[in-house]
Amino acid sequence: MATPFHLQIATPDGSMLDGQATRIILRTIDGDVCIMAKHTNYCSALGMGPAKVILEDGTERIAACMGGMINVMDGECRVVATTWEWKEDIDLERAQDAKKRAQERLATKDKLGDKDVMLAEAKLKRALIRSDVANKK
């Protein structure tokens, strides 16, 4: 059995997890990273993408993570995410509606300013990630 480490996941809305895990895999701005026990000290900004946590008992939990920071220091891992939604908490219909609205907005991008295009693209990316996580087996 894999060696556990202390993992804390928090958002501006509160604590999402505070316990023992054997692995966390998530997207940083430099690519995907897997943190396990005895990982070297590490700090990075988070990107947007799916995240997977393997708890001490072997339970696998999947989430949609949208930005933030990850810090590994002296064997403990802390994730402070801008948005962290567990798979079971994602409203798939709402995510699909957001995707549709963003696509409709981007279909008129010749009428939009650069800021509005970037905002619509970010909304589309978030909706796609949330939908992908909600549909994972």
Side-chain angles (χ1 to χ4, degrees), residues 86-104:
W86 294 113
K87 174 185 173 179
E88 59 271 16
D89 296 333
I90 294 173
D91 182 338
L92 182 56
E93 185 176 327
R94 184 172 164 239
Q96 290 171 337
D97 287 346
K99 174 185 166 188
K100 183 179 176 187
R101 286 192 307 274
Q103 288 172 324
E104 288 170 353

Side-chain angles (χ1 to χ4, degrees), residues 113-127:
D114 291 344
K115 182 180 175 183
D116 290 327
V117 170
M118 286 176 35
L119 184 60
E121 287 172 344
K123 287 181 178 183
L124 177 58
K125 186 172 183 178
R126 283 192 301 270

Side-chain angles (χ1 to χ4, degrees), residues 120-133:
E121 287 172 344
K123 287 181 178 183
L124 177 58
K125 186 172 183 178
R126 283 192 301 270
L128 289 170
I129 291 166
R130 291 176 74 236
S131 295
D132 179 53
V133 168

Side-chain angles (χ1 to χ4, degrees), residues 4 7 15 27 35 48 59 66 71 81 85 96 107 114 117 129:
L7 174 63
S15 177
R27 182 149 304 143
I35 306 295
M48 296 194 314
T59 302
M66 312 296 176
N71 178 36
E85 289 180 276
Q96 290 171 337
D114 291 344
V117 170
I129 291 166

